[in-house]
Amino acid sequence: MSSQTYSISDLSRELDITTRAIRFYEEQGLLSPERRGLERIYTARDKVTLKLILRGKRIGFSLAECRELIGLYDPSGGNFKQLNSMLAKIAERRAQLEQQMLDIQQMHLELDTAQERCEHALAATQDSPNATP
């Protein structure tokens, strides 16, 4: 029984990413397809690796973090290290997002204050006898 293989265009279509992105991940050492002449032949494991990279990017992981998580994969099925590391990174990312939300809320308050001051100053200048329309 032969395992499923994919061309770069197959993966590009299936995962909705560019062939250039796939080649970039290959250059970064995250993928290592077989070669048949100039053609790249990707395995089911390469496809899973790409899915993990894309998922990691969506939740804000760096490429280095994705590489670390992929490197922890244990094909024998004991992925405790990988899963624990993933949970730690998720908690870290969640904490970063919560801090960003607080920062954004604070910035909104500061913008509200600045806007209110500008509107009051503008109203005061329009009420002044020397105001020009």
Side-chain angles (χ1 to χ4, degrees):
M1 174 160 114
S2 69
S3 60
Q4 174 124 23
T5 60
Y6 305 88
S7 71
I8 194 168
S9 55
D10 292 337
L11 285 180
S12 174
R13 269 191 310 275
E14 281 191 44
L15 301 177
D16 195 27
I17 59 174
T18 65
T19 56
R20 180 180 170 136
I22 295 171
R23 286 190 298 270
F24 172 77
Y25 297 133
E26 185 180 334
E27 289 167 10
Q28 296 301 308
L30 293 164
L31 299 171
S32 50
E34 293 178 31
R35 299 279 185 156
R36 272 191 215 133
L38 295 176
E39 186 181 9
R40 293 169 166 87
I41 307 297
Y42 296 90
T43 64
R45 182 176 174 145
D46 291 322
K47 182 178 175 181
V48 168
T49 297
L50 271 172
K51 285 181 175 182
L52 289 172
I53 292 166
L54 297 173
R55 182 178 301 140
K57 284 182 58 182
R58 276 195 310 273
I59 59 178
F61 289 171
S62 69
L63 201 52
E65 289 172 314
C66 291
R67 179 182 288 112
E68 179 186 334
L69 288 168
I70 291 164
L72 291 173
Y73 176 72
D74 180 0
S76 67
N79 288 310
F80 298 108
K81 272 185 165 180
Q82 184 187 43
L83 294 171
N84 282 324
S85 182
M86 179 75 165
L87 286 172
K89 289 187 182 312
I90 288 171
E92 188 179 305
R93 182 66 181 136
R94 189 179 304 274
Q96 290 171 346
L97 288 173
E98 287 172 4
Q99 183 58 55
Q100 287 176 330
M101 286 185 350
L102 290 172
D103 293 345
I104 289 170
Q105 289 171 344
Q106 182 61 40
M107 191 177 293
H108 270 266
L109 291 173
E110 291 175 17
L111 287 169
D112 289 346
T113 300
Q115 180 179 354
E116 191 175 300
R117 286 182 180 162
C118 287
E119 288 169 349
H120 284 289
L122 187 58
T125 60
Q126 289 175 347
D127 292 341
S128 128
N130 297 331
T132 56

